[in-house]
Amino acid sequence: MALGGLALAAVLRQVTRLPQAWVVAGALFAASLAAYRIGAGTASGSAAYSGTTAEVIGATLLATGSVVASFIMLALAERISLRRVLAPLLAAGRLALTAYTLQILWLALLSALRDGAPDDQWWILGSSLVVVGGSWLLERLMGTGPLEWLIHVLRPRPLGSSVSARSDGSR
């Protein structure tokens, strides 16, 4: 998965024009479908969450194609001035650590309160909209999410970066 992420980062840097992006997304989706179809013909199969090689490769290619397709949609939205409409979704992406953490805690709380009942009801899944809206509000009010801020503050700094040099060269 880490190698897939590195490959995705390299692909996204290269996919700057929409015609090429469509080709890349289409190729990734086709390769994903091929991995699933080939895996389905084997003894181990390729069922969702099976952990078979075909399923992992297919899911990775599908996720990568989805990311490229998301970049295409964002580029198209910017062309027709829809960035403002997409602001809540973009904020949830920029505050992913906070958003995912809140979503997991929310689902855990609901599970505990509901004695482990399934969380696939519409009102529970719809609560994701609250997380998206909350991310947008946090970004507008604070500029970042609390967990993103904490990671920024706690990240290791390069040696010597905490000491600023004066204009006269002395420290």
Side-chain angles (χ1 to χ4, degrees):
M1 292 298 174
L3 291 175
L6 290 172
L8 177 60
V11 166
L12 291 177
R13 278 193 218 108
Q14 300 301 319
V15 181
T16 56
R17 294 190 185 104
L18 286 182
Q20 290 89 343
W22 286 108
V23 171
V24 170
L28 289 165
F29 288 137
S32 172
L33 179 63
Y36 279 117
R37 298 285 290 164
I38 291 168
T42 66
S44 56
S46 63
Y49 306 109
S50 64
T52 63
T53 302
E55 190 269 334
V56 170
I57 291 171
T60 301
L61 291 167
L62 180 63
T64 305
S66 298
V67 169
V68 173
S70 296
F71 273 77
I72 293 170
M73 299 307 289
L74 182 59
L76 292 173
E78 286 180 344
R79 282 187 179 180
I80 58 175
S81 301
L82 285 179
R83 189 170 183 94
R84 190 175 210 164
V85 174
L86 295 175
L89 287 175
L90 295 171
R94 286 188 289 267
L95 278 61
L97 181 59
T98 296
Y100 286 146
T101 301
L102 290 175
Q103 186 76 11
I104 289 167
L105 292 173
W106 169 249
L107 292 175
L109 175 66
L110 286 178
S111 178
L113 293 174
R114 300 177 66 235
D115 293 325
D119 61 1
D120 59 354
Q121 295 177 341
W122 70 268
W123 66 273
I124 294 173
L125 297 174
S127 68
S128 295
L129 295 176
V130 174
V131 172
V132 170
S135 296
W136 176 74
L137 188 61
L138 274 172
E139 186 179 49
R140 289 186 54 98
L141 295 175
M142 297 174 49
T144 189
L147 296 178
E148 287 77 12
W149 175 84
L150 185 64
I151 294 295
H152 177 75
V153 169
L154 296 177
R155 77 170 189 237
R157 308 268 188 233
L159 292 175
S161 67
S162 62
V163 178
S164 61
R166 294 183 185 167
S167 61
D168 65 357
S170 64
R171 293 189 186 257

